């Protein structure tokens, strides 16, 4: 006798058959156990099983010989070839063997009928087959009104599901209608339910009848909903196919008529292709209606009409835009952190903010995410941070340069009535990315201008507003396009030139300049490797020592970022490439001593000690658009009539700071031992070197006052100290901005002490940790504290009255 091969089986991979004919005494409550994979047998159901493992065959043969029942337990891990007792679930089904078949091909099959649930209390042995003591679980027999209501509801659900299924056997419908007890019906539905084996095992382990009926009913409701949707989709598909078939037939007839008339069918084929593209583009209904309307106009136009080309270009834009939202890719926060660390060194707070941003996008993918704006000097990695975010999110990256844009149409596009009209840069970038959820970088957003064609920054207000950009309307398209899923990231060097309403729509993340140690790590990890590849060199052919990199950083580049540093490294490696290419060397190592011969003489020297070696010179700290810098304030006295001379291209605010410092100096002359008559016979000249560079701001007030006191008392300012802060006529030191950039510049210049306003302590945490470790910080409340900390004790030239 052979079992039919199209009967469903629970597959068991194993070796050939085997049996154990020896008598095996079993305990009275013992049951022979057969492990199965991904299969759950419910009481009252019949199921065929193919046996392949020796222990399973031995257990089945023993049960047949002794006319015993067997127990089925599902494996916890389906991949195990020879599971032990600990690898099996503890709840299973006792079954009667209806038929045992040895097939001619050597396989063994049994047909089982589930009878009753059981729970294993103890495994007795595992060889030659598994035997367990079990506790048989009786089916609850009490029929309360609550259970009866659930029973009737489940029967109605089961009959509805059977109606939705195609070609259902009538016997199965009769079995469902004939079920008399809730437990029997629940097990019958669970057996045929299209759910995973783990969920079926959970139903088998649910003894409480009310809970079991609720679980089966919930799972069946989900399947009914799926079946309804499948049926509805099938009806819609058939209707669409019928409509398309009719359209195809009509078009074929039209093409045949055209061929008979001798007319070409090029336009017809083109219209057919556009029709198919419109159908595949998954446009919103409003957009699809507009596209089909324009297509019908195009179809009726003569071949040589001028407007035909404009409509064709417009339709090409519509069908090529990514209207459908791609499947949301899961964001792996650990992988995102690894990508950011791999691409960038330092910037810990920036990375942490980006990780927070990605975590929020992961937990709320449909939420309105903030628009990030990376602000900082050139070369600190703003654009590459955007590329890293795109790589971490697994989305395409596209960049739009806004520098020099002064036409509103660059953002919103031109109307189609103009010759050569195109969509704006935003829509063009999304088409280039090919995805509606791309990462779009708005580079140099601070450099947009305003012209006679309108204000592009005003057009950006809608683009960067999560409340409005879901219906962004490009002038060329004339239909709304949803930008709400685009991840916008802006970059800027200066925030002052960004209009207030536009800046209010963005979350500003400030990137300061790098310290010397950070630049060394960046050069060692990224720049040298990149320049080796750019110049056709391998790591074993050329190298640059760490000391040489430090010398390049200190003596040949003075910048917040690393662009010039990369250029100088490239120059040094090109020198090595020449030697290797001409065959004079196989390996070139560039040390610090060779740099003057390769890069020329040193470009930057430490002027701090030289400039502050005489009274009247103080070192200030300044903020510039490319990072922080040190600033020298020089004061000199000459015979005159009490005038104040200011030079060095100082702005109005800086001139007022100098006048305030002079007035404060005169009011406190006696406390410093200075003859007040000296001011009437002398002219004081304050000069800020680098006279070709405009300078402004109140930050130099403390440095100017210190320079005046140093000049008039003959005490030099300490050469290792720099200072910043605004002063008042009462002698108070007021807070200023740009503390992080200024302190970083002081450390880069080799200074060891900085004097800052006490009210700027809130900015201390923003200063890089290694910079904080290298500097001594002095917090100033009043100018007297600045004088006490900045000036040397002994005067070198105590002035008297002007001669």
């Amino acid at each position: 006798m052979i079992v039919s091969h199209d009967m469903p089986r629970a597959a068991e991979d194993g070796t050939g058959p085997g049996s154990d004919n020896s008598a095996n005494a079993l305990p009275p409550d013992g049951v022979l156990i057969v492990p199965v994979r991904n299969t759950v047998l419910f009481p009252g159901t019949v199921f065929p099983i193919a046996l392949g493992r020796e222990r399973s065959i031995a257990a089945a043969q023993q049960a047949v010989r002794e006319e015993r029942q067997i127990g089925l337990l599902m494996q916890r891990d389906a991949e195990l070839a020879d599971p032990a007792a600990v690898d099996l679930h503890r709840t299973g089904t006792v079954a009667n063997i209806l038929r045992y078949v040895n097939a001619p091909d050597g396989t063994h099959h049994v047909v089982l009928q589930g009878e009753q649930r059981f729970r294993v209390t103890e495994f007795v042995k595992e060889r030659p087959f598994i035997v367990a003591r079990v506790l048989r679980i009786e089916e609850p027999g009490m029929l309360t009104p609550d259970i009866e209501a659930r029973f009737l509801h489940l029967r109605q659900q089961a009959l509805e599901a059977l109606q939705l299924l195609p070609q259902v056997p009538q016997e199965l419908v009769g079995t469902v209608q004939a079920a008399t007890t809730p437990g029997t019906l629940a097990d019958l539905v669970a057996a045929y339910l299209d759910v995973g084996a783990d969920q079926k095992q959970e139903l088998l382990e649910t003894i409480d009848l009310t809970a079991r009926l609720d679980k089966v009913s919930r799972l069946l409701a989900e399947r009914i909903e799926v079946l309804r949707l499948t049926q509805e989709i099938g009806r819609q598909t058939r209707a669409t196919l019928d409509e398309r078939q009719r359209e195809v037939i009509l078009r074929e007839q039209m093409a045949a008529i055209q061929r008979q008339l001798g007319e070409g069918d090029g336009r017809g084929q083109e219209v057919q292709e556009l029709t198919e593209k419109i159908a595949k583009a998954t446009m919103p209904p409003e957009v699809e209606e507009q596209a089909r309307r324009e297509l019908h106009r195009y179809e009726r136009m003569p071949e040589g009409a001028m407007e035909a080309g404009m409509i064709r270009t417009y339709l090409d834009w519509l069908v090529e835009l990514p209207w459908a939202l791609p499947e949301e890719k899961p964001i792996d926060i650990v992988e995102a952190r690894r990508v950011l660390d791999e691409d960038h060194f330092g910037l810990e707070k920036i990375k942490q903010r980006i990780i927070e941003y990605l975590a929020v996008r992961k937990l709320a993918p449909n939420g309105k995410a903030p628009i990030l704006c990376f602000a900082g000097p050139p070369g600190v990695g703003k654009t590459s941070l955007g590329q890293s975010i795109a790589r971490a999110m697994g989305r395409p990256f596209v960049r739009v340069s806004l520098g020099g844009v002064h036409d509103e149409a660059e953002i919103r596009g031109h109307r189609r009535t103009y010759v050569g009209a195109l969509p704006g840069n935003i829509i063009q970038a999304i088409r280039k990315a090919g995805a509606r959820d791309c990462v779009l970088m708005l580079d140099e957003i601070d450099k947009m201008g305003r012209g006679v064609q309108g204000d592009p920054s005003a057009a950006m207000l809608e683009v960067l507003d999560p409340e409005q950009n879901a219906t962004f309307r490009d002038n060329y398209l004339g239909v709304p396009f949803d930008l709400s899923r685009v991840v916008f990231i802006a970059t800027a060097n200066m925030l002052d030139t960004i209009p207030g309403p536009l800046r209010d729509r963005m979350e500003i993340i400030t990137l300061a300049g790098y310290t010397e140690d950070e630049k060394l790590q960046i050069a060692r990890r990224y720049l040298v490797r990149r320049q080796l590849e750019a110049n056709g060199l391998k790591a074993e052919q050329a190298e640059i020592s760490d000391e040489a990199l430090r010398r390049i950083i200190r003596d040949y580049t003075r910048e917040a970022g690393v662009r010039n540093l990369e250029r100088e490294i490239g120059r040094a490696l090109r020198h090595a490439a020449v030697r290797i290419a001409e065959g004079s060397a196989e390996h070139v190592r560039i040390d610090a001593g060779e740099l003057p011969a390769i890069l020329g003489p040193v470009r930057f020297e430490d002027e701090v000690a030289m400039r502050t070696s005489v009274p009247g010179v103080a070192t200030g700290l300044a903020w510039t658009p490319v990072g922080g810098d040190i600033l020298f304030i020089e004061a000199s006295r000459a015979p005159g009539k009490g005038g104040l001379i200011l030079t060095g291209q100082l702005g109005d605010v800086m001139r007022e700071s100098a006048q305030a410092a002079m007035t404060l100096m005169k009011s406190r002359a006696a406390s410093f031992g200075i003859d007040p008559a000296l001011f009437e016979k002398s002219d004081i000249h304050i000069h800020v070197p680098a006279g070709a560079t405009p300078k402004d701001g109140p930050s130099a007030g403390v440095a100017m006052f210190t320079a005046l006191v140093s000049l008039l008392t003959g005490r030099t300012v300490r050469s290792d100290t720099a200072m910043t802060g605004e002063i008042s006529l009462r002698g108070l030191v007021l807070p200023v901005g740009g503390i992080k950039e200024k302190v970083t510049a002081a450390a880069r210049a080799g200074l060891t002490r900085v004097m800052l306003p006490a009210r700027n302590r809130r900015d201390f945490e923003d200063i890089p940790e290694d910079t904080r470790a290298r500097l001594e910080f002095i917090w100033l409340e009043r100018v007297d504290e600045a004088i006490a900390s900045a000036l040397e004790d002994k005067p070198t030239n105590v002035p008297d009255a002007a001669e």
Side-chain angles (χ1 to χ4, degrees):
M1 184 185 300
I2 301 176
V3 177
S4 173
H5 287 289
D6 37 324
M7 180 179 293
R9 297 186 182 92
E12 277 201 38
D13 297 337
T15 58
S19 61
D20 185 359
N21 296 323
S22 61
N24 290 283
L26 301 179
D29 55 349
V31 172
L32 298 165
I33 301 298
V34 173
V36 291
R37 290 187 178 96
N38 295 326
T39 300
V40 177
L41 178 65
F42 285 90
T45 58
V46 178
F47 205 79
I49 293 179
L51 302 175
R53 291 188 279 236
E54 293 184 1
R55 288 196 293 174
S56 299
I57 295 171
Q61 291 177 346
Q62 184 77 8
V64 171
R65 283 194 298 267
E66 298 184 4
E67 297 183 355
R68 283 179 171 272
Q69 294 177 320
I70 63 171
L72 260 66
L73 289 177
M74 190 175 76
Q75 298 176 202
R76 298 181 189 276
D77 183 1
E79 300 298 325
L80 292 177
D82 188 17
V86 295
D87 301 319
L88 305 177
H89 286 278
R90 291 298 184 268
T91 301
T93 303
V94 173
N96 296 315
I97 300 178
L98 300 182
R99 183 174 298 173
Y100 186 100
V101 180
N102 280 330
D105 59 358
T107 57
H108 297 252
H109 307 268
V110 289
V111 180
L112 303 176
Q113 181 180 28
E115 181 179 305
Q116 189 178 17
R117 286 176 171 78
F118 70 85
R119 184 178 292 114
V120 175
T121 58
E122 178 188 6
F123 285 101
V124 178
K125 63 178 182 176
E126 297 191 27
R127 298 291 176 184
F129 38 71
I130 300 176
V131 178
R133 286 192 173 93
V134 302
L135 175 64
R136 295 175 182 255
I137 301 172
E138 296 293 338
E139 188 69 33
M142 183 179 297
L143 189 63
T144 63
D146 191 34
I147 292 177
E148 186 175 3
R150 285 175 166 80
F151 169 55
L152 295 175
H153 176 64
L154 181 59
R155 175 183 288 168
Q156 183 180 358
Q157 282 183 300
L159 293 174
E160 182 182 357
L162 292 175
Q163 289 176 354
L164 293 171
L165 287 171
Q167 300 178 352
V168 174
Q170 286 301 316
E171 295 81 359
L172 183 57
V173 177
T175 305
V176 170
Q177 291 175 333
T180 56
T181 62
T184 303
L185 179 61
D187 289 342
L188 177 64
V189 174
Y192 288 97
L193 202 56
D194 185 16
V195 296
D198 290 335
Q199 288 179 290
K200 288 191 175 184
Q201 179 66 30
E202 182 184 351
L203 292 173
L204 185 69
E205 294 175 358
T206 305
I207 308 303
D208 182 71
L209 191 53
T210 302
R212 195 192 321 163
L213 287 168
D214 287 342
K215 288 181 180 180
V216 174
S217 179
R218 185 172 62 253
L219 291 173
L220 187 55
E222 293 175 1
R223 300 310 302 169
I224 289 173
E225 187 63 28
V226 171
L227 290 171
R228 284 175 181 164
L229 290 173
T230 304
Q231 200 174 63
E232 179 64 25
I233 292 170
R235 280 199 298 267
Q236 293 176 357
T237 304
R238 286 192 297 274
T240 304
L241 288 175
D242 292 343
E243 181 65 27
R244 287 187 182 175
Q245 287 171 353
R246 177 176 174 273
E247 187 175 338
V248 168
I249 293 171
L250 290 174
R251 290 193 180 279
E252 284 294 332
Q253 292 175 349
M254 184 184 297
I257 294 171
Q258 288 176 339
R259 283 194 296 271
Q260 291 294 327
L261 294 174
E263 298 178 358
D265 62 347
R267 172 65 69 88
Q269 185 175 357
E270 191 177 7
V271 170
Q272 176 66 22
E273 291 176 357
L274 285 172
T275 303
E276 294 174 359
K277 288 182 179 180
I278 291 173
K280 294 178 182 177
T282 62
M283 303 175 183
E286 176 188 350
V287 181
E288 185 170 350
E289 182 183 352
Q290 170 77 1
R292 294 191 182 279
R293 190 161 53 241
E294 293 293 329
L295 180 60
H296 291 155
R297 286 184 60 206
Y298 177 68
E299 189 175 7
R300 293 193 299 269
M301 281 184 178
E303 289 283 349
M306 182 186 301
E307 195 178 354
M310 298 171 58
I311 295 178
R312 176 59 203 259
T313 304
Y314 175 71
L315 290 173
D316 285 341
W317 272 99
L318 283 184
V319 298
E320 291 177 13
L321 282 174
W323 298 97
L325 189 66
E327 183 180 353
E328 188 77 24
K329 295 182 180 178
I331 298 175
D332 188 340
I333 299 300
V334 176
E335 175 65 13
R337 200 185 301 273
R338 186 195 67 77
V339 168
L340 290 172
D341 290 338
E342 179 182 319
D343 293 350
H344 298 86
F345 179 80
L347 306 177
E348 297 303 329
K349 288 193 175 182
I350 310 300
K351 292 179 186 176
Q352 182 58 35
R353 179 62 188 91
I354 293 173
I355 291 297
E356 293 171 359
Y357 172 83
L358 295 178
V360 172
R361 288 303 294 244
K362 178 178 181 179
L363 298 178
N366 296 323
K368 294 180 174 61
I371 311 296
L372 301 182
C373 178
F374 297 137
V380 295
K382 300 185 292 297
T383 304
S384 59
L385 274 173
Q387 293 172 334
S388 298
I389 292 174
R391 193 154 73 92
M393 298 180 75
R395 298 186 181 186
F397 174 82
V398 64
R399 174 179 164 272
V400 173
S401 179
L402 298 178
V405 171
H406 59 275
D407 187 352
E408 179 192 356
E410 295 286 339
I411 307 300
R412 290 190 181 276
H414 299 81
R415 299 192 182 278
R416 283 189 290 143
T417 53
Y418 297 103
V419 176
L422 284 174
N425 288 335
I426 304 298
I427 295 297
Q428 290 187 40
I430 292 175
R431 177 189 177 184
K432 180 181 177 182
R436 217 182 80 203
D437 61 347
C438 62
V439 176
L440 199 159
M441 172 154 281
L442 304 170
D443 218 0
E444 310 295 353
I445 198 172
D446 58 323
K447 296 177 179 60
M448 286 190 297
R450 183 173 183 175
V452 294
Q453 295 89 355
D455 187 358
S457 62
M460 291 297 298
L461 293 177
E462 180 185 6
V463 175
L464 298 184
D465 190 344
E467 300 292 340
Q468 302 178 34
N469 61 13
T471 56
F472 174 73
R473 186 177 290 269
D474 186 275
N475 289 332
Y476 180 81
L477 296 182
V479 291
F481 189 89
D482 188 358
L483 299 178
S484 61
R485 303 303 293 275
V486 177
V487 178
F488 288 103
I489 298 175
T491 70
N493 296 129
M494 299 180 64
L495 298 176
D496 297 342
T497 57
I498 302 177
L502 184 58
R503 184 169 25 174
D504 183 60
R505 279 164 166 75
M506 302 183 292
E507 178 180 340
I508 307 298
I509 299 179
T510 305
L511 283 76
Y514 293 113
T515 63
E516 182 178 313
D517 289 338
E518 287 176 336
K519 288 183 179 181
L520 176 63
Q521 293 294 333
I522 292 170
R524 185 190 300 159
R525 298 186 184 196
Y526 311 109
L527 305 184
V528 173
R529 183 175 68 245
R530 199 154 62 200
Q531 285 301 313
L532 282 172
E533 295 175 0
N535 293 293
L537 296 171
K538 298 179 180 178
E540 58 269 16
Q541 291 178 312
E543 62 175 315
I544 303 180
S545 66
D546 287 355
E547 184 57 34
L549 291 174
R550 284 190 183 276
R551 287 286 299 276
I552 294 175
I553 294 168
R554 190 179 300 128
D555 299 340
Y556 292 90
T557 60
R558 280 273 172 94
E559 57 178 343
V562 291
R563 283 203 182 121
N564 285 328
L565 173 60
E566 185 172 3
R567 293 190 187 103
E568 297 302 323
I569 291 172
R571 285 185 61 193
L573 289 177
R574 284 194 296 275
H575 174 81
V578 170
R579 295 178 58 187
I580 292 173
E582 66 186 9
S584 61
E586 294 183 357
H587 176 82
V588 177
R589 175 184 170 86
I590 300 173
D591 291 314
E594 303 173 24
L595 291 179
I598 299 173
L599 304 180
V602 172
R603 296 176 199 162
F604 301 98
E605 296 181 352
D606 187 4
E607 302 179 28
V608 177
M610 178 182 68
R611 294 223 181 188
T612 58
S613 59
V614 295
V617 181
T619 305
L621 296 173
W623 180 91
T624 70
V626 295
D629 201 359
I630 59 172
L631 196 70
F632 296 102
I633 309 294
E634 298 179 349
S636 179
R637 181 177 65 92
K641 299 180 180 180
L644 177 62
I645 304 169
L646 303 174
T647 57
Q649 277 215 57
L650 307 185
D652 291 340
V653 178
M654 205 166 186
R655 286 177 172 274
E656 292 173 358
S657 293
Q659 292 168 353
M662 188 65 189
T663 301
L664 185 62
M665 179 73 243
K666 290 179 179 178
S667 65
R668 300 199 172 193
S671 63
F672 293 115
I674 300 171
D675 184 4
L678 180 144
F679 297 102
E680 300 175 1
K681 303 175 182 179
S682 306
D683 286 340
I684 304 296
H685 186 168
I686 296 178
H687 176 66
V688 183
T693 305
K695 311 167 193 73
D696 201 5
S699 307
V702 171
M704 288 180 172
F705 181 76
T706 304
L708 289 173
V709 175
S710 170
L711 171 70
L712 299 177
T713 60
R715 297 163 60 188
T716 58
V717 179
R718 291 183 54 164
S719 61
D720 60 350
T721 302
M723 60 203 75
T724 186
E726 184 180 359
I727 61 171
S728 72
L729 293 179
R730 294 179 294 162
L732 299 177
V733 178
L734 305 179
V736 293
I739 292 296
K740 179 180 179 180
E741 291 82 359
K742 293 176 180 178
V743 172
T744 303
R748 188 166 60 235
L751 299 166
T752 58
R753 299 169 81 235
V754 290
M755 300 196 303
L756 305 174
R759 288 166 63 182
N760 278 115
R761 283 182 184 270
R762 61 180 182 269
D763 301 310
F764 184 72
E765 293 298 325
D766 294 336
I767 302 171
E769 189 172 347
D770 59 332
T771 302
R772 283 184 276 168
R774 292 163 52 187
L775 295 174
E776 176 188 352
F777 292 87
I778 300 165
W779 303 98
L780 307 175
E781 293 276 1
R782 305 184 64 83
V783 292
D784 305 309
E785 301 168 6
I787 300 303
S789 301
L791 299 186
E792 301 282 1
D793 294 335
K794 296 180 180 180
T796 58
N797 180 23
V798 180
D800 48 17
E803 299 175 3

